[in-house]
């Protein structure tokens, strides 16, 4: 199950100088130096009983500002549905990938790859908005609340139509985090550059036919790779979480699932310190948690 399922199963500031608020219709972004960047800012606002998001956008780089006022809603993801695929088909396939049943995971993953491209989003908390930038091309998209996917038959979602002339560029990230399969080793996270608090990080998923996420959890020096491995190997057969986890499961910040061969730039309010980068997604080929296969990393945010 993804980090969304993690939260349901356990019950459990961005840098201000470089930001400007924007309306639903989107605006250009102004840096602290006053320079204008071409990317548009699109606001997503989630509450306990509503989801407000733009319904149109122009092609090219677009930055989504996501915020929530409720702890049990607001992890809004972006997906591009393939031609002829309905919201219901997509919902059922995605729900399968978040199951605890290996057969459902394998079948759901295959159907999801035929149905849509997951384009990320941000894991956030009330009072701490996050940002993600995606390069949009003309077509139909959906914005949807991941927390609703596994708990309701009618998850909150809105449609987004992208049309017009492409324009804009993307700011250079402080670091690139890559999800890859290392031959003879298995799935791993690799970091190029230095992750800096309040700066964008680019997440790239190069794993074949495999969706993935990357969520940052603050940890002390006592948390090692060996302890993380034991944690992932201790999950119950039906997805039960082991006692005394090495991270505070309610503290995660990061990016929501991304399809293979896609990338997204995200910015969440990470403070300087030591972090474990985790995924709770399961392998599309056998339903085993990627973490149990060694996909986690310990990094320092500057």
């Amino acid at each position: 199950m993804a980090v969304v399922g993690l939260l349901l199963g356990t019950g459990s500031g961005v840098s201000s100088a470089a930001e400007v608020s924007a309306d639903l219709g989107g605006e250009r972004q102004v840096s602290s130096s006053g320079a204008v960047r071409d990317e548009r800012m699109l606001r997503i606002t989630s509450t306990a009983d509503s989801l407000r998001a733009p319904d149109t956008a122009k092609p090219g780089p677009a930055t989504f500002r996501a915020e929530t006022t409720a702890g049990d809603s607001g992890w809004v993801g972006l997906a591009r549905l393939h031609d002829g695929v309905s919201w219901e088909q997509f919902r059922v396939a995605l729900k399968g990938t978040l199951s605890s049943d290996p057969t459902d995971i394998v079948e759901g993953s295959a159907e999801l790859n035929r149905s849509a491209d997951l384009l990320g989003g941000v894991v956030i908390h009330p009072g701490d908005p996050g940002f993600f930038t995606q390069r949009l091309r003309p077509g139909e998209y959906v914005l949807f609340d991941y927390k609703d996917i596994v708990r309701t038959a009618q998850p909150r979602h809105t449609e987004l139509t992208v049309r017009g002339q492409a324009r804009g560029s993307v700011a250079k990230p402080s670091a690139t985090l890559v999800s890859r399969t290392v031959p003879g080793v298995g799935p791993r996270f690799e970091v190029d550059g230095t992750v800096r608090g309040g700066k964008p990080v680019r997440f790239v998923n190069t794993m074949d036919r495999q969706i993935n996420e990357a969520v940052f959890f603050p940890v002390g020096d006592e948390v090692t790779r060996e302890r993380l491995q034991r944690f992932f190997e201790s999950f119950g057969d039906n997805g039960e979480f082991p006692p005394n986890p090495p991270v505070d499961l309610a503290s995660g910040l990061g990016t929501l699932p991304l399809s293979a061969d896609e990338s997204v730039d995200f910015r969440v309010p990470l403070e300087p310190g030591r972090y474990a980068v985790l995924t709770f997604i399961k392998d599309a080929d056998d339903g085993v948690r990627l973490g149990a296969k060694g996909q986690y990393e310990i990094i320092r945010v500057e």
Side-chain angles (χ1 to χ4, degrees):
M1 187 175 293
V3 72
V4 177
L6 178 158
L7 181 70
L8 295 175
T10 58
S12 62
V14 294
S15 60
S16 59
E19 322 304 343
V20 294
S21 61
D23 295 328
L24 285 169
E27 299 209 1
R28 290 180 296 175
Q29 191 174 21
V30 181
S31 71
S32 56
S33 65
V36 176
R37 296 206 297 267
D38 285 338
E39 61 194 75
R40 277 84 63 205
M41 186 80 75
L42 304 172
R43 184 185 291 266
I44 302 168
T45 303
S46 178
T47 69
D49 55 10
S50 69
L51 174 62
R52 296 181 62 217
D55 56 12
T56 62
K58 293 185 180 298
T63 295
F64 295 83
R65 181 188 189 276
E67 62 182 343
T68 183
T69 62
D72 61 351
S73 65
W75 290 358
V76 178
L78 176 68
R80 181 173 53 238
L81 302 188
H82 294 173
D83 290 345
V85 174
S86 69
W87 158 256
E88 180 62 16
Q89 288 174 286
F90 166 71
R91 182 193 70 80
V92 171
L94 180 58
K95 185 176 180 180
T97 71
L98 306 179
S99 170
S100 294
D101 183 287
T103 299
D104 289 346
I105 294 166
V106 172
E107 292 177 354
S109 297
E111 181 59 30
L112 181 62
N113 287 332
R114 292 189 291 265
S115 301
D117 302 312
L118 298 183
L119 300 175
V122 278
V123 175
I124 55 173
H125 305 291
D128 286 324
F131 300 77
F132 68 100
T133 299
Q134 190 53 262
R135 298 148 191 82
L136 303 178
R137 61 176 190 250
E140 300 299 323
Y141 297 72
V142 290
L143 289 155
F144 61 97
D145 195 328
Y146 267 91
K147 292 188 178 184
D148 280 352
I149 289 291
V150 295
R151 69 183 182 187
T152 72
Q154 296 180 328
R156 298 190 304 175
H157 67 284
T158 64
E159 297 179 354
L160 174 69
T161 299
V162 177
R163 59 174 178 262
Q165 183 175 357
R167 61 184 177 85
S169 59
V170 178
K172 183 179 180 181
S174 68
T176 298
L177 174 64
V178 180
S179 169
R180 71 168 76 253
T181 300
V182 179
V185 177
R188 293 294 186 270
F189 287 127
E190 297 177 357
V191 181
D192 180 21
T194 301
V195 178
R196 301 188 184 278
K199 300 296 184 181
V201 176
R202 180 162 297 160
F203 179 50
V204 181
N205 181 14
T206 68
M207 298 177 68
D208 187 35
R209 300 186 301 277
Q210 175 69 57
I211 67 171
N212 212 358
E213 64 189 1
V215 186
F216 291 66
F217 295 87
V219 294
D221 291 338
E222 74 282 359
V223 176
T224 61
R225 288 187 60 87
E226 291 75 18
R227 186 173 175 188
L228 292 173
Q229 184 67 38
R230 291 195 300 272
F231 168 66
F232 280 110
E233 290 177 350
S234 299
F235 277 81
D237 292 339
N238 295 318
E240 302 91 350
F241 276 73
N244 303 316
V247 300
D248 177 0
L249 297 176
S251 68
L253 292 164
T255 179
L256 290 164
L258 195 68
S259 290
D261 300 321
E262 298 287 354
S263 67
V264 65
D265 291 5
F266 69 96
R267 184 151 41 91
V268 290
L270 297 173
E271 299 291 338
R274 192 168 184 263
Y275 286 80
V277 183
L278 307 182
T279 174
F280 292 85
I281 294 290
K282 297 175 182 177
D283 196 310
D285 291 330
D286 58 18
V288 175
R289 290 182 190 276
L290 296 173
K293 298 185 176 187
Q295 189 162 40
Y296 42 78
E297 193 55 76
I298 296 175
I299 70 167
R300 182 163 293 279
V301 174
E302 302 294 338

